[in-house]
């Protein structure tokens, strides 16, 4: 069975069913009254608080807009009540995870690697305990994400912090801490998800000892052929799929544009960090020069010393501002660019399942047309009749075989059709959740950048500290 079909089987995946049943039911009976892609107008705000409020309340292009509320409860794009959930980026109350204490193991460029401690606290019975502490390498996290993409192929899987391009820098303390924070966000996003957090692979990752995880990996390894078949299927989808669902087309167009803007922001952020560093270096050179000049000019020495101290303060403030852009803006933008890539792959997998339904539907139509032709034929010139069977017997055999094939194909089409509808509802629910997380993350980002700029401007007061002595 196709992984996506298996993932969406209602009997085998109660967590998915609970997460999406009301969405699919209302979608089938009511539909959505709003058009995907509509963007409500919002005024430009000038204060940090107003920016945060606007980010938390705006409906982004490509989202499935809400269609109202029922009894004071919000509705999603399919008209279903939105279940209560933890705040974006936070774990559910019954599952807390944290990535801590990165330690270097081994020496040299080839042998050295970083091991992270994953701390877990849970009240779930399936965990068989309340507290766990395990050690994981970066490659273990990669394996976890790959398996989640395979096993939960119609959910948005959070992105991983990317690999370091230079092997020599993978143990650099600043890089290690940044990666630790990214891995921590990765696990927390999974732990906060109502479906992903109940996945068996995720539970084993959090609780199994290193040797137990190694054994589990071997059992779960899906091999190279599965990956190749998925790639071929996605390519076929792009070439063959007819009449694609307009809702998911709108999502795809939004994500393509969103990803492009994230790339632009990433480039601008990297340039800003380099610019801050250049200005800091120049500022420090000014400071050193003023300090040296103060030793030569007795009359101007007090003012030059004040300039020296003010420029030192300005350089330190630029360091803080640069770090804020690097650690806040750049990291958030990178993560959401990777989110965009993952969502595009998710939508292609959904289209691949839609393609299966389309092919089955066409085959069933041909098979029913074949039955009509059989019913109208006399089979006098069939091979069976030529070899001694009566035309009536030949016709009856062919009709019986045709009926069995139609019955089998009808069951397959119904099964795939159900999987498509549940997958559609799951994706819509995850996209709604993703937009909420995005809005909260960017609101927090704007506040952090505003605070950093305020601190920078507050610390740099050369006019008030420098008094020229003439």
């Amino acid at each position: 069975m196709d992984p996506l079909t298996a993932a969406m089987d209602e009997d085998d995946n109660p967590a998915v069913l609970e997460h999406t049943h009301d969405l699919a039911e209302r979608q089938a009976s009511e539909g959505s009254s709003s058009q995907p892609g509509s963007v409500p107008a919002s005024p430009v705000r000038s204060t940090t608080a107003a920016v945060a409020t606007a980010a938390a309340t705006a409906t982004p292009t490509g989202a499935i807009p809400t269609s109202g509320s029922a009894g004071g409860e919000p509705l999603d794009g399919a008209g279903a009540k939105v279940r209560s959930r933890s705040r974006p980026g936070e774990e559910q109350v019954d599952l807390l995870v944290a990535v801590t204490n990165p330690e270097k193991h081994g020496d040299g460029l080839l042998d050295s690697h970083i091991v992270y401690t994953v701390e877990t606290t849970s009240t779930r019975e399936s965990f068989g305990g309340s507290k766990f502490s395990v050690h994981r390498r970066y490659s273990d996290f990669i394996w976890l994400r790959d398996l989640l993409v395979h096993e939960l192929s119609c959910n948005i899987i959070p992105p991983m912090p990317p690999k370091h391009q230079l092997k020599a820098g993978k143990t650099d303390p600043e890089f290690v801490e940044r990666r630790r924070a990214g891995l921590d966000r990765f696990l927390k996003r999974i732990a906060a998800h109502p479906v992903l957090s109940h996945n068996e692979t995720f539970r084993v990752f959090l609780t199994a000892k290193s040797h137990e995880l190694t054994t589990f990996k071997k059992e779960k390894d899906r091999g190279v052929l599965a990956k190749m078949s998925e790639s071929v299927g996605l390519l076929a989808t792009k070439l063959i799929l007819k009449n694609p669902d307009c809702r998911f087309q709108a999502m795809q167009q939004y994500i393509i544009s969103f990803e492009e803007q994230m790339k632009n922001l990433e480039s601008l952020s990297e340039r800003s960090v380099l610019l801050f560093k250049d200005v800091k270096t120049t500022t420090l050179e000014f400071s050193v020069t003023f300090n040296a000049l103060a030793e030569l000019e007795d009359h101007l020495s007090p003012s030059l010393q004040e300039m020296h101290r003010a420029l030192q303060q300005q350089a330190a403030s630029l360091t803080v501002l640069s770090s804020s852009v690097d650690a806040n803006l750049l990291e958030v933008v990178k993560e959401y660019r990777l989110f965009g890539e993952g969502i595009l792959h998710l939508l292609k997998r959904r289209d691949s399942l839609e393609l299966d339904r389309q092919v089955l539907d066409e085959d069933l139509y041909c098979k029913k047309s074949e039955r009509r032709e059989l019913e109208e034929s006399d089979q006098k010139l069939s091979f069976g009749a030529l070899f001694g069977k009566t035309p009536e017997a030949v016709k009856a055999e062919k009709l019986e075989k045709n009926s069995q094939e139609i019955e089998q194909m009808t069951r397959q089409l119904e099964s795939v059709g159900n999987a498509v509808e549940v997958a559609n509802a799951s994706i819509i629910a995850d996209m709604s959740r993703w937009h909420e997380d995005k809005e909260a993350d960017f609101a927090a980002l704007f506040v952090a950048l505003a605070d950093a700029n305020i601190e920078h401007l507050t610390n740099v007061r050369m006019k008030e500290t420098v008094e020229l002595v003439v």
Side-chain angles (χ1 to χ4, degrees):
M1 182 182 293
D2 180 82
L4 183 54
T5 306
M8 297 316 303
D9 183 72
E10 294 181 352
D11 295 331
D12 295 335
N13 293 275
V16 175
L17 175 60
E18 179 183 2
H19 183 51
T20 61
H21 175 73
D22 54 354
L23 289 171
E25 184 178 45
R26 285 180 178 267
Q27 182 182 7
S29 61
E30 300 175 9
S32 175
S33 60
S34 303
Q35 294 296 322
S38 62
V39 184
S42 59
V44 177
R45 313 299 182 103
S46 59
T47 66
T48 300
V51 168
T53 302
T57 57
T59 301
T61 304
I64 303 298
T66 58
S67 55
S69 60
E73 297 184 63
L75 301 181
D76 58 27
K81 294 180 181 179
V82 177
R83 289 185 172 87
S84 61
R85 49 161 292 185
S86 53
R87 290 180 60 81
E90 296 180 356
E91 307 99 320
Q92 299 199 35
V93 294
D94 59 351
L95 179 60
L96 302 174
V97 298
V99 179
T100 64
N101 194 31
E103 291 185 351
K104 180 181 177 182
H105 288 239
D107 297 318
L109 295 179
L110 298 178
D111 298 333
S112 63
H113 60 274
I114 303 298
V115 174
Y116 303 87
T117 301
V118 177
E119 304 280 354
T120 303
T121 301
S122 178
T123 58
R124 296 181 182 180
E125 293 183 2
S126 60
F127 276 67
S130 58
K131 291 185 179 296
F132 302 88
S133 179
V134 296
H135 296 98
R136 300 288 182 256
R137 296 179 59 173
Y138 178 72
S139 58
D140 295 325
F141 287 86
I142 294 177
W143 170 84
L144 170 64
R145 188 181 188 280
D146 287 345
L147 258 294
L148 290 178
V149 169
H150 176 69
E151 296 175 346
L152 299 168
S153 52
C154 57
N155 288 106
I156 298 176
I157 310 300
M160 287 272 297
K163 293 183 177 180
H164 199 287
Q165 297 187 359
L166 299 177
K167 197 171 183 67
K170 69 178 184 179
T171 57
D172 174 72
E174 182 179 350
F175 170 77
V176 169
E177 171 54 28
R178 186 167 299 181
R179 172 175 280 182
R180 182 210 63 76
L183 295 174
D184 187 70
R185 284 196 304 273
F186 169 69
L187 291 188
K188 279 179 164 59
R189 290 190 188 279
I190 297 174
H193 195 283
V195 176
L196 304 183
S197 65
H198 289 275
N199 176 264
E200 180 197 13
T201 299
F202 181 53
R203 178 184 60 78
V204 172
F205 177 87
L206 296 179
T207 61
K209 297 178 180 178
S210 296
H211 69 278
E212 295 173 337
L213 183 65
T214 300
T215 303
F216 187 80
K217 282 183 178 182
K218 292 178 181 179
E219 296 173 353
K220 282 284 185 177
D221 186 11
R222 62 184 183 273
V224 177
L225 291 178
K227 295 181 180 179
M228 292 178 60
S229 64
E230 179 183 17
S231 299
V232 172
L234 295 181
L235 177 61
T237 300
K238 182 177 181 181
L239 297 176
I240 300 174
L241 184 62
K242 301 174 183 177
N243 302 320
D245 192 313
C246 63
R247 296 171 301 170
F248 298 100
Q249 275 190 308
M251 285 185 190
Q252 185 180 53
Q253 290 304 314
Y254 164 74
I255 291 296
I256 290 173
S257 300
F258 176 82
E259 186 182 5
E260 183 64 27
Q261 296 310 314
M262 290 298 102
K263 289 179 181 178
N264 292 338
L265 280 176
E266 184 175 350
S267 176
L268 290 170
S269 300
E270 290 173 343
R271 285 164 51 190
S272 297
V273 170
L274 293 176
L275 178 61
F276 283 135
K277 290 180 178 178
D278 287 342
V279 173
K280 172 192 169 183
T281 300
T282 302
T283 301
L284 288 174
E285 290 175 355
F286 266 111
S287 175
V288 171
T289 303
F290 278 125
N291 190 47
L293 188 60
E295 297 178 359
L296 297 177
E297 298 290 342
D298 293 338
H299 186 62
L300 294 175
S301 180
S303 295
L304 292 171
Q305 288 291 346
E306 288 291 343
M307 285 291 293
H308 163 70
R309 286 190 290 271
L311 289 169
Q312 288 282 337
Q313 185 180 17
Q314 183 178 12
S317 181
L318 283 169
T319 300
V320 174
L321 186 58
S322 174
S323 298
S324 178
V325 172
D326 197 6
N328 292 309
L329 177 59
L330 190 54
E331 290 304 305
V332 170
V333 166
K334 282 182 178 179
E335 183 181 26
Y336 274 92
R337 175 179 60 79
L338 294 173
F339 257 125
E341 292 179 4
I343 292 172
L344 287 177
H345 283 293
L346 168 63
L347 293 174
K348 287 180 180 179
R349 291 194 296 271
R350 192 217 73 88
D351 287 349
S352 180
L353 188 59
E354 181 68 60
L355 176 63
D356 290 342
R357 177 164 68 174
Q358 173 187 300
V359 171
L360 280 171
D361 188 57
E362 292 174 352
D363 289 346
L364 181 59
Y365 176 82
C366 292
K367 191 61 64 176
K368 289 180 177 180
S369 298
E370 180 183 319
R371 181 176 183 81
R372 288 192 292 271
E373 293 176 0
L374 279 173
E375 290 172 343
E376 296 173 359
S377 68
D378 55 21
Q379 296 297 311
K380 291 181 178 180
L381 299 179
S382 65
F383 282 105
L386 295 176
F387 283 96
K389 290 185 178 181
T390 64
E392 292 77 9
V394 173
K395 183 174 182 178
E397 289 178 3
K398 289 186 176 181
L399 286 172
E400 176 63 23
K401 182 180 179 181
N402 178 271
S403 296
Q404 293 175 358
E405 290 173 341
I406 288 177
E407 183 180 354
Q408 181 182 6
M409 293 175 65
T410 300
R411 288 197 302 267
Q412 291 177 340
L413 181 60
E414 182 180 0
S415 175
V416 173
N418 289 338
V420 170
E421 294 307 318
V422 177
N424 289 349
S426 181
I427 292 173
I428 289 173
D430 267 16
M431 283 298 293
S432 175
R433 182 183 185 89
W434 179 76
H435 280 301
E436 290 179 15
D437 287 356
K438 171 170 57 67
E439 290 158 8
D441 288 341
F442 273 85
L445 166 65
F446 298 152
V447 172
L449 290 176
D451 289 342
N453 276 278
I454 290 171
E455 181 180 357
H456 171 67
L457 295 174
T458 302
N459 290 337
V460 180
R461 295 179 297 178
M462 291 179 60
K463 243 175 128 182
E464 297 179 13
T465 57
V466 177
E467 295 180 2
L468 292 176
V469 179
V470 182

